Amino acid sequence: SVNPDLASERQTASFSVEKLTARLDGGAEHTRIRRAVVQAIECDPEFSRENQYFQSQNERYEAAVRKAVHLQKKMHEMGWTENGPEFKYIYRALSGDVAFLLHRIFMRSISVLGSDKQIAKWIPLATQYQLIGSYAQTELGHGTYLQGLETTAIFDITTQEFILNTPKISAMKWWPGDMGRSATHTVVFAQLYVHGKCYGVHPFIVQIRSLQDHSLCPGITAGDIGPKMNFEHVDNGYLMLQNVRVPRENMLNKFCEVQPDGTYIRRGSQKINYFTMTTVRISLISDEVIIPLMKACTIAIRYSVVRRQSKLKPGEQEAKILDYQTQQEKLLPQLAAAYAFHFINDYLQELFDKGYREIQRKNFDTLPELHAFSSGFKAMVTQYCTSAVEICLRACGGHGYSLLSGLPSLYTKILASCIYEGENTILLLQTARFLIKCFMTASTGQPVPPSVTYLAAMKPGKCPANNKLDFLSPDIYTEAYQHMAVRLISSTAAKLQGLIQSGVKKHEAWNQCTVQLAQAAKAHCHYITVKNFVETVEKLETTSGIQKIMKHLCDLFALHGIFSNAGVFLHDGYISGAQMDMATASYLGLLAVIRKDAVPLVDAFDFTDKSLNSALGSYDGQVYQRLYEWAQKSPTNKQMSPAYERYLKPLLHNTRSKI
Amino acid sequence: MNADLRRERAAATFQPELLTHLLDGGAERTRRRKEIEALVFNDPDFQHEDLNFLSRSQRYEQAIRKSSLMVMKLREYGIADPEEIYWFKRTCLGSFPEPFGLHFSMFQKTLETQTTDAQKEKWLPLVHGVKIIGTYAQTEMGHGTHLRGLETTATYDPATQEFILNSPTVTSIKWWPGGLGKTSNHAIVLAQLYTQGQCKGLHAFIVPIRQLGTHEPLPGITVGDIGPKFGYDEMDNGYLKMDNFRIPRENMLMKYAQVEPDGTYVKPLSDKLTYGTMVFIRSLIVGDAARSLSRACTIAIRYSAVRHQSELKPGEPEPQILDYQTQQYKLFPLLATAYAFHFVGAYIKDTYRRINRDINEGDLSELPELHALTAGLKAFTSWTASAGIEECRMACGGHGYSRCSGIPDIYVTFTPSCTYEGENTVMMLQTARFLVKSYNQVTSGQRVTGMVSYLNDLSSQRIQPQHVAARTVTVINDPVSLVEAYKARAVRLVEAAAKNLQAELNHRKSKEDAWNRTSVDLVRASEAHCHYVIVKLFTAKLSEISNAAVCAVMTELCLLYALYGISKNTGDFLQAGILTDAQITQVNQRVKELLAIIRPNAVALVDSFDFHDVHLGSVLGRYDGNVYENMFEWAKKSPLNKTEVHESFHKHLKSMQAKL
């Protein structure tokens, strides 16, 4: 039965939860398919995650391999294919707890970088799992700066082979997933040398393990890089190459080729390839970042109406902790952010689909803008959501620290997203470079890409708000965000130019402005997110109460940003001190309004209990019973620890034997 | 030693040892600390394999081994001074908790302070001699913060002169106490006392939970481990359920309240004294925040001096990542924060000692302020340090995410302190209650003393905070002037919160409701107050430093701490008119200049913390900087690498390839 404290929250929903779910899925038909996939996966005990929190790294890895193998069977059984509508829901249903994710990257890199002949040779083998692939780019000494990779591939004209080497310890490949234990092949990125000349970094297919007995191939040293904060199920690996020879045909040669006589030729445009890398950053936002935040919000908010602590009014029952203003102020802005980012993700997907169509028509004009989008939003969304999940964890008091709450593992997993696929600071600076360039272009009156036309339209002036209700007007706050973004970008551009004009070298001037540049890039992304949320709300259907509640969330998201970054809005007097007090009052007022719909708003995310895997966040709210029963299954309670006989007994009896 | 680190160390403008002495409280204390640490380093009994490769059960077992060993070694070496014991243990355990931790802290302390002479005579020899192992069972599954809501009952039965202990609901099960799950055979249990049909509120009882000799749970006791957590693998945080479990009347701690044999309840005289222990434990957390953040800074800054990446100047070799402004901006303010927290921690410890002497002489006058101050500072420092440790980890890129960096362990071990010993938001609100009370005293014409005395300016001169600010011209290069700016901000936020509270009270009946509707403002006020205290204490410390070179570098850090705090909270300073737009721009600019000034001393500044590699537990933060080769050595020991072909190949992969 459902805990009455949770049931009562659902009775007063101001909107249709089912309709909001359908909106989030992109239509009721998608909801139906998603539920069918989740149902099929979750009713299969092979995919259970119930014991996950109790398992060692070794056990997690083995389970992930077992699941990956079983998944092939399951897909066949269910008639799901990689191109079918179900496919994108499988990963979500498994919560990513499955091996061979890099196998797909291996295949994609061959499809993108390989010639037709190479694709014909390798893709069928990979599709049928005759080999297991990985993707070996990052080294011990280099991640961000790809040109700095130190692995070498020297062309030997006499045998028509490349000789691959790890010349020093920092050149060892480090981190690639699936490579530590599983992979038989990997795409190795190495500096290509022909006739003593270096041609830069190129990809090579290298077999690392025997297809018969899985032992390492000659010249290969490979293994697992050891425990991490999360991803226990993935065998992130290291790889050292000593005079490993691969045939000339193993260099992926769609764009570059070494001919038998050693002639190096380059062909075609790599821009499509560049575009593919860019899309990876966007594709991870939904599954790896927004969904974990939605789960964390679901857990923390449901728990906050079940948990009662202290009294708000003397003589009454203890209050639900969600009724405390400080608790609302922790959680509800994170909930609003989850929606804001869901909608910005929809927007980005659409933008990239459009970009892809243009690029196929050989129109590369939108590339710089798309690149700036993908870098900036990847950085902003991952950073924001990571802090948001941590806030959810901390908002659950002591029980949040139990792995059984589900929150620690959501946190340790999402935080890796701030680093992989481009370290966030570096990405923000890439976006900043684009913004500064566009700002300069715009200030000379030339056209700029659509997303940054606002840079040209900078008006001085002040915020026109007269009372606190004005801050619930999207025009008022969107304008404030726009003003703030323009100010930060233009002042940084001015500073940069000033430094250069005063004789500071360009690169040095850039380094001296990087803190401001990163801030400007974030401000731009924040503005676009607010603007997009506003536009999305305007388009929502007005019936079923959805538009109204989304408008509240949109206001909250925007005002939370103003409240927490008050200084940048106050700085040039655009918002006055008195107006800031109004904005704050509106912000705090919204908390109490959204509070009433908090549970329906997380219910709309539609996570099953199995996918939350949390004692605190289950749909029925039977928190304490579940926590108690689950804890008893801990291995520490099943096995008799030898610690007593070995150490405690001698201590208590003061017999100093061998401790 | 790595050449980059050698160069960094040679270029420092001051002697790190002198700064170490300052942190330790004198050269003699540094010497003694190192002497005690050497006892551990040179003792083969304390050698152990890397804990990262062990399962939770194994880590627990290792921790018990070390805990037991420490008890014996401390006896052997005759180390009895609490601080020296702390040094010794820290060196044995790294930063990890010990399952006996609560035996020596809460269990022992409670028995020493809340028992009658007869009880002392019976229990203390058992505790000191570790004939029994105890823990402190307060928190329940359903209640942590709100102690009065605890549900465990102790019902007095005059017929047998026993208390009957019960866990009447699932939520009343004791949950979380450290060492309760598997280690302890006794617990101090907090329960609602019922006698003669009346509830007399919470009282403490000594409850045996496991059979001496066999260590099996006693009949009527259900006890176990609460399962895996975010860190604390060493610790058997436990649950305890009691079903009609009887203990003799003498097992109630009776120094203050008493139950007589016939069931008559005798009330305690004062309950203020329990403040003392809380203040003490929270002051330890402030010191712990400083140390945890210092360790993370040491790792991140050394690694940033070793790591080279990308290019700053075209055509030149890859620079150390510490040369990037963004990297300095991430790390140096945290370094300054770590120093600030060290000085704050030392201040609170000294103040506690001083006030404790007064308490023993019956003077409790300063206790409320110290209680309010430590609550807020505990919250402020633990929040800041937690976020800072994460920032350090992120600054180490991908390798920071590996357990070999040591930072994940520092984080998971430290971050629960945001919650235990008083949830941080609740702590901030306690401080706020004191601030509002002080504010109300001032507005009603009384004077307040201590750290809140700045509020006196409000009424005596009958001026608004805006005017205070306008009068004072802030000099951004002068720490003393910055203290004034922080003071003005605290005044403004305390006043704003107090006024908002009053406005709510004016149109609401319930005080609690008004308080709740103002709580976001109240937390902000407390934060501003704590921030002011920290800047003030850091600035005050500068005048105590005699060596000019050390003083110069500490002044730079102090300035960075104060200015960075302003740049992160510009809204408060602008809105109150404390600083102008132009000054804020100057502050932002000065922060970046200070980054470049501190850069040459960065490695020396973390060396001064004087952490041994064993304390750091980090491959990235090694003193010698030989990072990459040691990462490889470390990884080879991973459990997944035990056999060259993993068993899952035979179990799963082979069959998949055969079938498809």
Side-chain angles (χ1 to χ4, degrees):
Chain A
S1 68
V2 174
N3 182 316
D5 281 337
L6 199 44
S8 65
E9 298 282 337
R10 294 183 171 123
Q11 281 157 11
T12 53
S14 76
F15 62 94
S16 157
V17 171
E18 184 63 22
K19 282 196 174 150
L20 182 54
T21 300
R23 175 64 184 76
L24 291 173
D25 281 321
E29 176 60 11
H30 292 277
T31 304
R32 192 192 61 74
I33 297 171
R34 177 176 56 74
R35 284 180 179 157
V37 171
V38 168
Q39 161 72 14
I41 298 271
E42 288 184 350
C43 73
D44 188 333
E46 284 288 316
F47 293 119
S48 165
R49 294 194 295 133
E50 196 197 339
N51 287 321
Q52 164 177 320
Y53 303 129
F54 302 134
Q55 288 174 329
S56 69
Q57 190 197 0
N58 240 329
E59 290 162 338
R60 288 289 304 277
Y61 165 67
E62 194 196 315
V65 170
R66 178 173 48 72
K67 287 182 194 180
V69 171
H70 185 70
L71 180 62
Q72 298 309 313
K73 222 169 88 188
K74 189 85 187 175
M75 285 180 63
H76 185 72
E77 210 176 281
M78 302 296 298
W80 298 335
T81 65
E82 301 225 347
N83 304 317
E86 297 88 0
F87 191 72
K88 66 173 171 177
Y89 298 120
I90 295 175
Y91 182 79
R92 173 174 169 161
L94 293 166
S95 291
D97 195 35
V98 63
F100 309 154
L101 297 175
L102 265 288
H103 185 69
R104 292 175 52 76
I105 308 281
F106 172 81
M107 287 170 67
R108 182 159 60 196
S109 62
I110 293 173
S111 310
V112 173
L113 304 171
S115 64
D116 293 344
K117 203 169 148 194
Q118 287 172 324
I119 293 172
K121 175 177 176 185
W122 294 102
I123 295 298
L125 291 172
T127 309
Q128 293 165 36
Y129 283 93
Q130 294 302 300
L131 55 85
I132 296 164
S134 174
Y135 181 85
Q137 181 177 292
T138 308
E139 294 173 358
L140 201 37
H142 284 87
T144 301
Y145 184 62
L146 290 185
Q147 290 112 291
L149 295 179
E150 297 172 295
T151 304
T152 57
I154 298 168
F155 186 57
D156 178 357
I157 205 164
T158 55
T159 61
Q160 295 284 303
E161 290 170 321
F162 293 104
I163 310 163
L164 283 105
N165 269 297
T166 304
K168 55 206 268 209
I169 198 119
S170 59
M172 213 184 316
K173 294 293 175 188
W174 202 269
W175 280 110
D178 292 334
M179 194 173 78
R181 300 276 80 183
S182 303
T184 60
H185 288 67
T186 185
V187 173
V188 172
F189 284 77
Q191 301 284 357
L192 168 65
Y193 285 87
V194 184
H195 297 316
K197 187 181 166 198
C198 180
Y199 288 88
V201 175
H202 288 73
F204 302 85
I205 298 177
V206 179
Q207 182 173 354
I208 58 172
R209 287 193 175 87
S210 153
L211 290 173
Q212 271 70 49
D213 62 6
H214 217 60
S215 62
L216 292 170
C217 294
I220 300 284
T221 308
D224 174 79
I225 62 161
K228 299 141 294 191
M229 282 191 94
N230 197 317
F231 290 90
E232 293 99 329
H233 61 292
V234 180
D235 53 324
N236 295 86
Y238 60 77
L239 171 68
M240 200 152 71
L241 302 146
Q242 284 160 306
N243 291 317
V244 174
R245 287 171 171 266
V246 299
R248 191 178 63 88
E249 295 76 22
N250 277 28
M251 180 172 124
L252 293 177
N253 60 13
K254 181 167 181 184
F255 301 107
C256 313
E257 188 177 6
V258 175
Q259 295 190 323
D261 65 351
T263 311
Y264 177 85
I265 52 169
R266 202 177 265 285
R267 59 175 166 245
S269 165
Q270 287 218 50
K271 278 188 175 160
I272 291 189
N273 166 32
Y274 178 65
F275 178 75
T276 313
M277 299 300 162
T278 298
T279 54
V280 173
R281 293 196 180 124
I282 294 302
S283 65
L284 70 88
I285 288 180
S286 174
D287 280 344
E288 303 297 342
V289 186
I290 299 172
I291 287 184
L293 174 57
M294 288 173 167
K295 285 185 180 176
C297 287
T298 307
I299 295 167
I301 287 177
R302 285 184 184 160
Y303 176 62
S304 295
V305 299
V306 169
R307 179 81 170 178
R308 286 176 178 275
Q309 201 80 177
S310 301
K311 294 179 182 178
L312 264 174
K313 289 177 188 145
E316 285 192 4
Q317 203 185 355
E318 290 183 60
K320 293 176 176 178
I321 57 174
L322 196 59
D323 287 326
Y324 290 93
Q325 189 189 46
T326 46
Q327 186 76 353
Q328 293 167 7
E329 210 265 328
K330 285 176 194 172
L331 295 178
L332 301 182
Q334 317 317 324
L335 177 64
Y339 277 94
F341 293 140
H342 175 86
F343 295 131
I344 198 73
N345 183 56
D346 283 353
Y347 168 78
L348 293 170
Q349 295 297 347
E350 205 174 304
L351 203 71
F352 273 74
D353 288 346
K354 214 164 76 188
Y356 185 65
R357 287 193 297 272
E358 287 298 315
I359 282 161
Q360 281 184 323
R361 274 188 257 142
K362 301 261 186 261
N363 173 6
F364 298 113
D365 293 350
T366 55
L367 256 183
E369 189 187 18
L370 292 177
H371 179 68
F373 263 115
S374 75
S375 310
F377 278 101
K378 184 269 178 183
M380 183 186 92
V381 177
T382 54
Q383 201 172 328
Y384 204 119
C385 294
T386 298
S387 335
V389 171
E390 199 193 15
I391 290 169
C392 292
L393 189 161
R394 289 256 180 80
C396 290
H399 296 327
Y401 294 101
S402 168
L403 291 195
L404 307 181
S405 78
L407 291 164
S409 50
L410 284 172
Y411 176 64
T412 51
K413 199 167 179 204
I414 193 175
L415 60 81
S417 69
C418 295
I419 312 254
Y420 60 61
E421 296 301 332
E423 196 275 329
N424 278 353
T425 305
I426 311 281
L427 293 183
L428 286 172
L429 291 175
Q430 290 183 7
T431 303
R433 205 177 278 279
F434 169 80
L435 292 172
I436 294 290
K437 208 172 140 193
C438 291
F439 179 79
M440 300 297 199
T441 311
S443 56
T444 61
Q446 287 169 277
V448 291
S451 63
V452 287
T453 46
Y454 75 94
L455 291 175
M458 185 187 172
K459 310 172 268 234
K462 306 273 173 199
C463 173
N466 292 317
N467 56 50
K468 70 175 190 178
L469 287 181
D470 284 347
F471 276 100
L472 301 179
S473 152
D475 288 346
I476 298 270
Y477 56 69
T478 311
E479 192 91 1
Y481 271 94
Q482 189 192 78
H483 179 88
M484 185 261 308
V486 175
R487 182 177 68 76
L488 290 174
I489 293 163
S490 63
S491 66
T492 310
K495 169 141 186 246
L496 195 58
Q497 272 195 313
L499 282 171
I500 293 168
Q501 275 161 12
S502 72
V504 180
K505 289 208 179 83
K506 236 182 172 169
H507 54 82
E508 182 49 34
W510 180 263
N511 190 32
Q512 283 183 29
C513 293
T514 43
V515 167
Q516 270 174 277
L517 286 160
Q519 194 194 11
K522 261 192 264 182
H524 166 75
C525 295
H526 207 158
Y527 160 58
I528 303 281
T529 308
V530 168
K531 186 167 157 253
N532 178 68
F533 203 159
V534 169
E535 286 165 1
T536 307
V537 169
E538 279 165 6
K539 281 181 258 169
L540 287 172
E541 51 169 330
T542 48
T543 53
S544 68
I546 289 177
Q547 194 190 41
K548 195 170 161 213
I549 186 69
M550 287 298 120
K551 163 77 168 57
H552 290 319
L553 283 178
C554 178
D555 294 347
L556 185 74
F557 179 75
L559 294 181
H560 172 72
I562 293 176
F563 174 77
S564 353
N565 300 284
V568 294
F569 291 93
L570 287 164
H571 187 88
D572 61 346
Y574 181 80
I575 289 185
S576 70
Q579 284 173 327
M580 192 54 76
D581 286 340
M582 296 170 199
T584 304
S586 273
Y587 166 62
L588 296 176
L590 275 170
L591 296 175
V593 175
I594 294 168
R595 155 70 186 89
K596 295 180 200 135
D597 277 319
V599 168
L601 280 167
V602 298
D603 283 352
F605 296 143
D606 199 27
F607 292 113
T608 60
D609 284 353
K610 280 184 176 157
S611 82
L612 292 173
N613 212 18
S614 161
L616 306 189
S618 56
Y619 187 84
D620 66 9
Q622 300 297 350
V623 167
Y624 299 113
Q625 193 63 35
R626 199 171 261 111
L627 197 53
Y628 184 46
E629 282 166 14
W630 205 352
Q632 290 175 64
K633 294 181 190 164
S634 170
T636 42
N637 289 325
K638 284 187 184 160
Q639 303 144 4
M640 182 61 191
S641 169
Y644 175 71
E645 285 296 327
R646 272 190 209 158
Y647 308 117
L648 289 179
K649 204 167 166 183
L651 177 77
L652 290 165
H653 298 194
N654 209 0
T655 49
R656 170 145 200 196
S657 58
K658 275 187 199 163
I659 281 186
Chain B
M1 192 195 295
N2 170 290
D4 287 311
L5 280 184
R6 189 183 299 129
R7 213 165 22 208
E8 296 286 342
R9 286 174 178 137
T13 63
F14 70 99
Q15 281 178 274
E17 305 83 62
L18 296 180
L19 188 45
T20 305
H21 298 161
L22 183 73
L23 292 172
D24 280 329
E28 170 54 24
R29 315 244 318 136
T30 302
R31 190 200 60 76
R32 177 63 179 152
R33 175 174 58 77
K34 285 180 175 288
E35 186 175 71
I36 285 176
E37 287 172 0
L39 291 174
V40 179
F41 296 140
N42 299 329
D43 189 338
D45 286 349
F46 283 116
Q47 303 303 313
H48 60 86
E49 62 179 303
D50 193 313
L51 298 173
N52 283 297
F53 303 128
L54 303 182
S55 71
R56 218 196 122 212
S57 293
Q58 290 168 322
R59 285 175 81 147
Y60 167 68
E61 192 188 325
Q62 278 300 319
I64 288 287
R65 182 183 76 85
K66 280 203 263 178
S67 277
S68 309
L69 199 55
M70 282 192 302
V71 171
M72 294 179 182
K73 297 268 178 174
L74 284 167
R75 269 185 212 152
E76 192 180 313
Y77 295 131
I79 299 174
D81 174 72
E83 181 133 21
E84 293 187 1
I85 291 176
Y86 170 75
W87 287 334
F88 186 86
K89 287 192 171 182
R90 181 180 74 172
T91 310
C92 297
L93 299 165
S95 69
F96 296 109
E98 63 160 331
F100 292 5
L102 270 82
H103 175 82
F104 295 110
S105 56
M106 290 306 284
F107 186 66
Q108 183 175 324
K109 231 183 171 86
T110 309
L111 288 177
E112 282 167 357
T113 54
Q114 296 186 33
T115 45
T116 61
D117 289 345
Q119 286 175 321
K120 283 196 178 76
E121 206 172 305
K122 175 175 178 190
W123 293 102
L124 289 184
L126 298 173
V127 175
H128 293 150
V130 202
K131 302 285 183 207
I132 60 173
I133 300 172
T135 181
Y136 187 81
Q138 177 175 294
T139 308
E140 294 172 0
M141 214 189 288
H143 284 90
T145 301
H146 184 58
L147 289 185
R148 274 166 294 166
L150 293 179
E151 299 172 281
T152 303
T153 59
T155 310
Y156 186 62
D157 177 2
T160 59
Q161 305 218 358
E162 289 171 321
F163 291 103
I164 309 161
L165 285 137
N166 269 301
S167 308
T169 58
V170 175
T171 45
S172 74
I173 296 171
K174 294 290 176 190
W175 201 267
W176 278 111
L180 174 64
K182 296 280 143 183
T183 310
S184 300
N185 51 30
H186 282 70
I188 289 177
V189 170
L190 272 88
Q192 304 285 356
L193 167 65
Y194 284 87
T195 183
Q196 298 174 337
Q198 277 185 316
C199 180
K200 299 292 180 184
L202 275 190
H203 289 77
F205 304 84
I206 305 172
V207 180
I209 53 177
R210 287 179 183 270
Q211 186 72 52
L212 298 181
T214 66
H215 213 58
E216 293 292 336
L218 294 165
I221 295 285
T222 309
V223 65
D225 174 81
I226 63 162
K229 295 144 302 193
F230 198 32
Y232 272 65
D233 281 357
E234 288 68 25
M235 184 65 101
D236 53 323
N237 296 81
Y239 59 78
L240 170 66
K241 188 168 171 289
M242 292 167 291
D243 297 293
N244 290 317
F245 188 75
R246 287 172 173 264
I247 56 169
R249 188 184 65 93
E250 294 77 19
N251 278 26
M252 175 173 144
L253 302 189
M254 297 227 216
K255 180 166 182 183
Y256 301 112
Q258 292 179 5
V259 172
E260 293 180 346
D262 66 351
T264 307
Y265 178 73
V266 184
K267 261 206 270 190
L269 292 172
S270 158
D271 56 356
K272 238 182 197 173
L273 284 164
T274 48
Y275 273 9
T277 319
M278 281 195 277
V279 168
F280 176 69
I281 303 259
R282 285 172 196 162
S283 74
L284 291 183
I285 293 176
V286 176
D288 199 24
R291 265 182 307 276
S292 301
L293 183 57
S294 306
R295 288 164 67 223
C297 284
T298 304
I299 295 165
I301 288 178
R302 284 185 186 158
Y303 176 65
S304 298
V306 170
R307 178 87 170 174
H308 289 253
Q309 199 82 176
S310 208
E311 54 182 23
L312 260 175
K313 297 177 193 168
E316 289 202 0
E318 296 179 67
Q320 292 163 286
I321 57 174
L322 200 56
D323 287 330
Y324 290 94
Q325 190 191 54
T326 46
Q327 188 77 354
Q328 296 168 3
Y329 189 70
K330 285 175 195 172
L331 297 177
F332 295 169
L334 295 172
L335 179 62
T337 305
Y339 274 97
F341 290 1
H342 267 289
F343 300 136
V344 174
Y347 166 84
I348 298 194
K349 207 165 70 184
D350 291 347
T351 313
Y352 172 75
R353 277 198 196 130
R354 182 173 58 75
I355 294 183
N356 208 29
R357 276 195 302 271
D358 298 344
I359 293 174
N360 290 337
E361 288 161 19
D363 176 5
L364 301 177
S365 60
E366 283 189 79
L367 203 51
E369 189 196 347
L370 186 66
H371 180 251
L373 187 64
T374 45
L377 286 174
K378 177 263 180 189
F380 190 98
T381 57
S382 60
W383 266 333
T384 311
S386 271
I389 294 164
E390 279 297 75
E391 187 77 26
C392 288
R393 186 186 54 69
M394 296 274 207
C396 293
H399 296 332
Y401 193 75
S402 166
R403 294 231 163 230
C404 80
S405 77
I407 305 183
D409 275 333
I410 298 175
Y411 178 70
V412 295
T413 308
F414 178 72
T415 196
S417 60
C418 293
T419 306
Y420 62 60
E421 299 302 334
E423 198 277 325
N424 276 358
T425 303
V426 176
M427 292 297 95
M428 281 297 188
L429 288 171
Q430 286 189 8
T431 301
R433 208 172 277 281
F434 180 77
L435 293 172
V436 169
K437 202 174 138 197
S438 302
Y439 174 86
N440 289 339
Q441 282 174 346
V442 168
T443 50
S444 67
Q446 299 171 47
R447 286 190 70 77
V448 291
T449 56
M451 286 291 183
V452 289
S453 55
Y454 59 83
L455 292 172
N456 290 327
D457 299 348
L458 269 174
S459 78
S460 61
Q461 301 172 25
R462 292 182 187 282
I463 46 170
Q464 294 300 306
Q466 276 84 353
H467 298 134
V468 178
R471 270 187 320 150
T472 335
V473 177
T474 304
V475 182
I476 65 162
N477 267 324
D478 175 14
V480 176
S481 179
L482 296 173
V483 173
E484 292 301 309
Y486 273 92
K487 185 195 276 187
R489 169 185 178 231
V491 169
R492 132 116 183 133
L493 289 176
V494 171
E495 176 165 63
K499 283 186 168 168
N500 288 350
L501 179 63
Q502 193 52 52
E504 290 289 345
L505 281 170
N506 290 345
H507 48 267
R508 262 167 241 293
K509 283 187 212 113
S510 148
K511 262 201 310 204
E512 288 77 6
D513 199 18
W515 180 263
N516 185 31
R517 283 165 188 271
T518 323
S519 51
V520 169
D521 295 330
L522 290 162
V523 170
R524 283 177 76 193
S526 289
E527 282 175 338
H529 173 71
C530 293
H531 212 157
Y532 154 69
V533 170
I534 295 168
V535 173
K536 183 183 153 85
L537 292 174
F538 198 164
T539 304
K541 192 75 195 175
L542 298 176
S543 60
E544 294 172 25
I545 305 172
S546 51
N547 180 279
V550 172
C551 187
V553 71
M554 281 295 108
T555 305
E556 287 154 13
L557 279 183
C558 179
L559 272 175
L560 180 65
Y561 181 75
L563 292 172
Y564 180 80
I566 293 174
S567 78
K568 285 280 135 185
N569 297 283
T570 51
D572 293 346
F573 291 90
L574 284 169
Q575 202 179 356
I578 301 162
L579 295 170
T580 63
D581 287 0
Q583 283 177 314
I584 292 291
T585 307
Q586 278 175 36
V587 166
N588 290 335
Q589 184 54 30
R590 187 68 189 138
V591 165
K592 282 165 228 158
E593 286 163 17
L594 283 166
L595 298 178
I597 291 171
I598 289 163
R599 166 68 185 87
N601 279 323
V603 169
L605 280 166
V606 296
D607 285 351
S608 302
F609 293 134
D610 200 27
F611 291 116
H612 191 279
D613 281 351
V614 168
H615 293 136
L616 292 177
S618 165
V619 180
L620 303 189
R622 294 168 63 94
Y623 184 82
D624 68 11
N626 294 323
V627 169
Y628 296 130
E629 48 276 56
N630 284 294
M631 279 180 76
F632 186 35
E633 290 308 310
W634 183 87
K636 284 184 200 163
K637 297 180 214 150
S638 170
L640 251 68
N641 291 332
K642 284 245 160 78
T643 54
E644 190 183 293
V645 175
H646 196 268
E647 55 187 343
S648 62
F649 170 74
H650 302 289
K651 280 191 189 163
H652 309 294
L653 293 181
K654 222 168 151 179
S655 64
M656 172 178 73
Q657 285 165 343
K659 271 180 210 153
L660 285 163

